[in-house]
Amino acid sequence: MTGDAGNQVGRAAELRESLKALRARIAAACAAAGRDSGEVTLIAVTKTFPVSDIRLLSALGVVDIGENRDQEAAPKAAECAALGLPLNWHFVGQLQVNKCASVVSYADVIHSVDRDRLVRALGQRSRAAGRTVTCLIQVSLDAAPGRGGVLPAEAPGLADLVAAEDGLVLGGVMAVAPLGEPPAPAFRVLRRVAQAVRADHPGAMMISAGMSGDLDEAIAEGATHVRVGTALLGGRPGFVR
């Protein structure tokens, strides 16, 4: 066995064990919340990790892949498509309008919609590409500058705009827990925002919340999608070009 092949075998074993532990953790959190673990989708956040890891995850049954920078995500998505991997791509980072054309070419779900101009740009670019993209309203749970998101009271109005935009489908809401604070109260706010959005858009069932350190609290508050990097893939290597 060559060195590269041996490395891949070892990496596959690492990912298999991490995935097993992570799925057990999700199942336990769901059981504690009185939920079915089938209600929660695991998104593997592979930023800075190579396509070889995505191939291994795909072989282990992981089909939802998250990235947060278009300059890294676009070539990785193209390479995975050329390999014929059956993946759903989630764009989970802050998104600039000038990146919309690229992102809608591969992303199935965009988690970070937080302003009117972005809704219009995504709709225009999705229609031009002949694609329909699911969008989540990013909600700011701490109003921290630079982290993105709309205030909770503004989310239903932005959701209306997404729902009315041809080429886009309103999927639900997304948030990142505040830094340095207990996550549970913040995720409770997100749950109320999700309920407000669903009052007018019953099909917007997605709640994207919870990462490696706080997915248990997010699941307790109704998260349907958790975005996990470190707990699955380990410490992050350098940026992948």
Side-chain angles (χ1 to χ4, degrees), residues 51 54-55 58 73-87 89 105-106:
V51 167
I54 300 176
R55 292 182 69 177
S58 176
K76 288 166 80 170
E79 185 174 346
C80 289
L83 292 169
L85 301 182
L87 303 173
W89 287 91
S105 71
Y106 60 85

Side-chain angles (χ1 to χ4, degrees), residues 8 23 35 41 78 125 128 132 135 139 141 180 207 224:
Q8 284 297 287
R23 284 178 169 159
R35 301 179 61 193
T41 296
R125 295 302 187 177
T132 299
C135 292
V139 180
L141 299 178
I207 300 178
T224 64

Side-chain angles (χ1 to χ4, degrees), residues 132-186:
T132 299
V133 178
T134 297
C135 292
L136 307 185
I137 305 302
Q138 182 175 353
V139 180
S140 173
L141 299 178
D142 56 7
R147 298 189 76 198
V150 298
L151 295 175
E154 298 170 348
L158 191 60
D160 290 342
L161 292 181
V162 171
E165 187 75 23
D166 289 342
L168 305 181
V169 171
L170 176 64
V173 298
M174 177 275 243
V176 179
L179 295 173
E181 298 179 21

Side-chain angles (χ1 to χ4, degrees), residues 43 45 66-68 90-94 109 111-112 138 174 227:
I43 300 170
V45 180
E67 290 280 340
N68 74 335
H90 298 254
F91 189 84
V92 301
Q94 288 185 267
V109 186
H111 291 234
S112 49
Q138 182 175 353
M174 177 275 243
R227 311 179 303 272

Side-chain angles (χ1 to χ4, degrees), residues 26 55 67 78 122 124 130-131 139 145 161 182 191 193 199 215 222-223 227:
I26 291 171
R55 292 182 69 177
E67 290 280 340
L122 287 170
Q124 179 184 18
R131 300 195 73 224
V139 180
L161 292 181
R191 186 174 201 163
V193 173
L215 66 86
R227 311 179 303 272

